Structure formats: C-alpha cells, structure tokens
C-alpha cells in the first residue's frame, strides 16, 4: 500500500492503473476506521482491481460548534488496518490539496434529499459532503465508490450528485455493520462512556420495533411516537425520528420502499441510524 498526500503523485499511480486497464474503486472516509469501513473496503475489493481509500476530515461538512476539532484522528492505526486489508493507495491529502487557496465552489443537491432531517438539523452539512465527494471523484476518477447505509441520507445525496454531474461513478451502498447488541458502528461511538454506550442500544431497538409495527399495519405516527418514548426513556435528546420515501426523502408512499431514520443525542454524542420499512 502506498500512502499518497499529493495530487501529482496520485495522478501518476492512477495513470498506471488506467494504462493497465485496471478499474479503481474508491472508499471515501474521514478515518478512525472500524469494521464498518472495512466492510466498504471488502465490497470495493470485490468490485475493482485497485482500491483507493481516502482519509480526509472534511472541515466543510462540520458546522460551527460541531465536533471538527475533537473528531478522532488515528492515521497510523488506520494505515495499518488498510495495509493489512491489501488496499493499493491510501489517499491522505492535506487540506490544501482539497481546498487550495481561492477555492470558491460548492456543490449543492436541491430538494428534500438534502433539506429534510439531517439537512435541516445540520445546515450546510450536505453541501460540504457533496462538494468533497465531487472533488474526490474528480481526483481519483473511480469507476465505483462505496458508502455505508448507516449514513442513508448522505448516500442519497451522493447518488444524486454523481448522476447529476455525469461523474460516471457507480455509487454503491453497503449495509450497516453493527455491534452484537445492534448499535451501528460509527467513529463517534468512541465518545460514549460506559453508561451511555449501554443506553445507546435503545436507538436500533426503537427503530426496529417501530419498523416491525409499521410493517404489521400500525399507524406510522403512533409507531414513531412509541420509538420516541423509548429513546427519551433511555436518556436520548431526539433531533428526529421520521419515515420517508427511501428514494425522494419526501412523504412515504404505500407500495414503495420506505426508510425510518433517527438522529438523537446521548450526552454530547449525536448518533444516527436507519432501517428499511416494508410499507404496503
Ligand atoms: O461518511 C463520511 O465519512 C464522510 O461524510 C465522507 C463521505 C467521507 C465525506 O467526507
């Protein structure tokens, strides 16, 4: 595995792959890697001859007051995991390789996909994500890129951007990886103390119960209220629990794929999760 920090060196390697006719898969990350990221790497390996993993803690997707400064940074440990997994390139650019002096472009996906739920609670977040992913796609020019379904709304934003900008990149969603008790793996889980970690399991449980209720024919509003009560009892402060159409993020439509998503804080840690809901 090569650790590359400069665009010129990245381009030279990518040209070699291209001349050899070797397709490239990209796994964009912000580091602090865990088994969820490694599932993306495994999926990438199955899809392309060459795998590039990027690690870049993207300042543009953090609002003032969010956890940019304390976001976990563990490049040496991450590099070891990626090298053990046999990836080809760790693309770890400094800020100026992504946002050089004078950088003035922002990619914004319009509509409910990026304006509701996390879009409403984290203004500017999805513009930051769409911009950095568009930039990474332009730098790495992959055939395929892997994103976790844990960030389900992000996945939808990136899919829309990839199509709208004719990137030619196939955006693949990889199922969420979970701890044994069901908590979705996240780099932010390390912020949880022992007590918070024990209570955090209420998040997947509440979503699971609500999804089963809706699938049985319960009124979605009642099922969501039950989930909210479970989360509140566990000590969560809720940003949202919502059922949306899985593609448009508008109101759910019977007979079409629906998704139940939640974001809630336990202590100072904001967790998100989501689950597919049969909605007939
Ligand atoms: O999901 C993440 O880790 C980030 O949002 C991403 C896609 C790497 C963009 O910075």
């Amino acid at each position: 595995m090569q650790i590359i920090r400069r665009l010129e060196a990245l381009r030279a390697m990518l040209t070699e792959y291209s001349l050899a006719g070797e397709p490239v898969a990209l796994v964009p990350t912000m580091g602090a890697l865990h088994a969820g990221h490694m599932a993306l790497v495994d999926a990438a390996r199955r899809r392309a001859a060459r795998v590039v993993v990027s690690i870049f803690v993207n300042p543009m997707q953090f609002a003032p007051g969010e956890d940019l400064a304390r976001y976990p940074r563990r490049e040496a440990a991450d590099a070891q995991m990626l090298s053990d997994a046999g990836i080809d390139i760790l693309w770890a650019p400094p800020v100026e390789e992504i946002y050089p002096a004078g950088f003035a472009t922002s990619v914004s996906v319009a509509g409910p996909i990026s304006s509701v739920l996390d879009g409403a609670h984290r203004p500017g977040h999805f513009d930051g994500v769409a911009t950095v992913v568009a930039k990474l796609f332009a730098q790495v020019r992959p055939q395929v890129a892997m994103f976790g379904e844990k960030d389900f709304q992000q996945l939808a934003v990136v899919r829309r951007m990839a199509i709208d900008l004719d990137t030619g990149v196939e955006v693949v969603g990889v199922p969420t990886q979970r701890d044994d008790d069901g908590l979705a793996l996240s780099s932010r889980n390390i912020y949880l103390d022992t007590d918070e970690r024990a209570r955090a399991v209420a998040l997947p449980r509440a979503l699971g119960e609500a999804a089963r209720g809706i699938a049985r024919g319960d009124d979605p509003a009642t099922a969501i209220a039950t989930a909210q009560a479970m989360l509140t009892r566990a000590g969560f402060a809720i940003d949202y629990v919502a059922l949306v159409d899985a593609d448009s993020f508008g109101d759910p439509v019977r007979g079409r794929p629906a998704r139940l998503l939640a974001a809630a804080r336990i202590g100072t840690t904001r967790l998100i999760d989501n689950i597919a809901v049969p909605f007939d």
Side-chain angles (χ1 to χ4, degrees), residues 189-242:
N189 290 355
I190 62 160
Y191 299 152
L192 300 170
D193 66 25
T194 310
D195 174 57
E196 289 167 345
R197 174 63 189 81
R199 288 185 288 129
V201 71
L203 183 56
R205 286 190 185 151
L207 287 180
E209 262 197 50
R212 283 189 293 278
I214 295 167
R216 277 194 311 265
D218 292 355
D219 169 38
T222 310
I224 286 171
T226 308
Q228 286 172 326
M230 278 178 76
L231 291 174
T232 306
R233 269 199 307 279
F236 274 99
I238 300 167
D239 276 358
Y240 59 80
V241 180

Side-chain angles (χ1 to χ4, degrees), residues 28-30 37 56 58 61 129 132-133 147 151 154:
T29 82
M30 297 203 300
H37 296 109
F56 179 68
N58 174 32
Q61 70 188 74
V129 170
V132 81
V133 174
F147 293 83
D151 297 286
Q154 166 174 281

Side-chain angles (χ1 to χ4, degrees), residues 9-133:
L10 178 70
R11 285 267 155 81
M13 285 305 299
L14 294 170
T15 301
E16 282 185 26
Y17 299 163
S18 168
L19 290 173
E22 295 172 330
V24 171
L26 171 66
V27 181
T29 82
M30 297 203 300
L33 303 181
H34 49 66
H37 296 109
M38 299 321 283
L40 303 183
V41 169
D42 284 349
R45 284 241 74 105
R46 289 194 293 275
R47 292 300 304 271
R50 298 290 183 176
V51 175
V52 176
V53 176
S54 62
I55 294 183
F56 179 68
V57 181
N58 174 32
M60 195 176 166
Q61 70 188 74
F62 291 79
E66 290 191 341
D67 58 343
L68 173 62
R70 72 165 180 151
Y71 196 85
R73 289 159 171 88
R74 301 193 297 230
E75 195 192 287
D78 291 347
Q80 189 59 57
M81 285 169 79
L82 295 170
S83 167
D84 292 347
I87 72 144
D88 299 282
I89 294 176
L90 167 53
W91 171 227
V95 174
E96 65 270 20
E97 285 289 21
I98 301 286
Y99 303 122
F103 185 88
T105 298
S106 174
V107 178
S108 189
V109 173
I113 286 176
S114 62
S115 64
V116 301
L117 308 182
D118 257 28
H121 284 269
R122 303 184 67 189
H125 170 67
F126 287 127
D127 289 358
V129 170
T131 303
V132 81
V133 174

